[in-house]
Amino acid sequence: MELAPNESVTGTGAMAGLAAMRADVSALTGRHPEHVFRSLSETLNRWAADGIDTEPFHAGVETAERRYAGYGLTTMLPLDRVLVGCESSRAGAFGGFHHPDQGYRHLQMAAVITMYGPMERRNPERPALALLDLLRAYAHDCLHYGSRRRYVEVAGMPVRTQYGINYRRATGQSYSAADRSGSNHTRNLGIVMEGACDKEARSITRQTAEQLGVTEPSGTLGALTFRDVTGTLTDEDVLCVADVPESGEQARYVSALSGFEMGVNRRYAHFLAEFTPGEESECHRRILTAIITGHVTELGVWLDERHGPGTFTGLFRSQGYFEPALTV
């Protein structure tokens, strides 16, 4: 069975369970019965054959490969493990990064993505914007794919006990607790890791757009999406979402965009500014390296030098949880 770059599995039952889930990803696409899914490579080839310039995606992936190698990730998510949905039979279907129930799924080692914009068609309505959205999603999911994971066998099935710098008991207790609803800061490692992955993916997308001269499109929704994929949303953008939608699906999409910005990206930015003011970029780099390798010691020492001994544990460990092997 193929494993992701930094995965390890203990137990023949766990290995067999993962192999079965990875051999058949229909459980993921089956959640979207109205959409037609094809591999990312096939999707790009079809678009190129129809005259769409796919260079923004390919150029962005080259940038991602160089940057990710610096964090210890040298293998990108295979294109045949990414499924892109379009040609939907659902009236008014609207896709993109914030489409419901998509993204990377570690058990299946596969990602589900939808074409940005109206989905009742073969090709995107706004190709340049759709390719940037696709790049953001793929760059984001590659980091999830390459993150450190440990699985153990419980009752013959795989149970994840480590993801990046977060840990979980085989009985289900997570190392860090969920944030309080409505909080503008975070003490949750899941939010930190999700925010770190998306900050990096949006930075790559922004750099690609600048290099290739892809500019913000006209129209409120198009402009919002461009600023979202490039990480340039303003406070006013997040507040004006109610004025954007033209349909029910667009309304849900923009609401999800706003929720992700406030619940993940803004909380992660607040965390960096709160604990490493003036050194946000360095802290971000160390967090991503720790997520990929699974080694939290160097990050912990770096935080301790700024805030005293035991900073990582004090910030993130929930009551009653004890993990004696954080350096594994």
Side-chain angles (χ1 to χ4, degrees):
M1 182 194 69
E2 183 180 1
L3 292 176
N6 296 302
E7 286 184 336
S8 63
V9 186
T10 302
T12 56
M15 183 70 79
L18 282 176
M21 285 183 278
R22 292 176 180 186
D24 181 9
V25 298
S26 61
L28 301 181
T29 57
R31 297 172 186 172
H32 307 280
E34 305 94 343
H35 308 339
V36 175
F37 284 92
R38 299 180 179 87
S39 71
L40 177 52
S41 57
E42 182 180 357
T43 297
L44 290 169
N45 288 338
R46 285 164 62 92
W47 289 355
D50 288 343
I52 294 175
D53 181 7
T54 59
E55 177 60 16
F57 180 84
H58 296 296
V61 171
E62 290 181 5
T63 299
E65 288 175 335
R66 291 192 297 270
R67 285 172 61 156
Y68 292 0
Y71 305 128
L73 177 60
T74 57
T75 304
M76 301 289 275
L77 176 60
L79 298 186
D80 64 355
R81 304 299 298 181
V82 182
L83 303 171
V84 182
C86 63
E87 295 183 80
S88 180
S89 61
R90 188 174 71 233
F94 193 90
F97 183 82
H98 300 288
H99 187 278
D101 202 9
Q102 71 171 43
Y104 182 73
R105 300 295 181 260
H106 67 98
L107 290 173
Q108 289 82 10
M109 202 182 76
V112 170
I113 299 174
T114 50
M115 177 182 74
Y116 172 75
M119 293 183 64
E120 299 172 84
R121 50 192 300 152
R122 168 188 171 117
N123 295 328
E125 182 179 67
R126 297 188 172 190
L129 187 54
L131 283 160
L132 290 180
D133 182 82
L134 188 64
L135 172 61
R136 184 260 192 102
Y138 178 70
H140 182 113
D141 288 342
C142 280
L143 290 170
H144 287 314
Y145 164 74
S147 300
R148 175 72 169 115
R149 284 185 178 82
R150 288 187 294 173
Y151 298 93
V152 300
E153 184 174 333
V154 177
M157 293 301 293
V159 173
R160 187 179 67 185
T161 58
Q162 180 180 0
Y163 162 44
I165 55 177
N166 200 11
Y167 307 86
R168 185 179 297 275
R169 296 290 191 190
T171 53
Q173 184 183 6
S174 178
Y175 185 83
S176 66
D179 294 324
R180 292 182 178 179
S181 177
S183 174
N184 66 352
H185 69 275
T186 186
R187 298 294 183 269
N188 179 266
L189 286 170
I191 296 295
V192 168
M193 293 192 296
E194 184 73 4
C197 291
D198 204 46
K199 176 180 174 65
E200 192 70 8
R202 297 205 295 181
S203 175
I204 289 166
T205 306
R206 180 170 63 253
Q207 179 180 334
T208 302
E210 292 171 352
Q211 289 177 341
L212 298 182
V214 182
T215 58
E216 183 177 299
S218 61
T220 307
L221 180 54
L224 261 185
T225 300
F226 182 87
R227 294 171 196 169
D228 177 44
V229 301
T230 56
T232 55
L233 286 170
T234 66
D235 292 340
E236 291 75 16
D237 290 332
V238 177
L239 293 174
C240 79
V241 294
D243 302 326
V244 173
E246 299 175 4
S247 71
E249 291 227 9
Q250 289 184 21
R252 287 191 292 272
Y253 188 87
V254 174
S255 177
L257 181 157
S258 176
F260 193 83
E261 175 69 11
M262 298 304 296
V264 175
N265 287 312
R266 296 291 176 99
R267 288 187 188 184
Y268 179 61
H270 189 281
F271 170 80
L272 293 176
E274 182 182 9
F275 287 97
T276 57
E279 298 180 287
E280 291 93 338
S281 295
E282 178 63 17
C283 184
H284 171 69
R285 183 189 69 79
R286 289 176 178 271
I287 287 173
L288 278 176
T289 300
I291 290 171
I292 297 301
T293 64
H295 299 305
V296 77
T297 300
E298 291 186 8
L299 173 63
V301 169
W302 191 79
L303 289 171
D304 287 352
E305 290 172 351
R306 285 147 181 79
H307 301 286
T311 298
F312 184 91
T313 299
L315 283 174
F316 296 115
R317 192 174 70 188
S318 60
Q319 284 189 328
Y321 187 96
F322 298 94
E323 173 58 85
L326 293 184
T327 59
V328 173

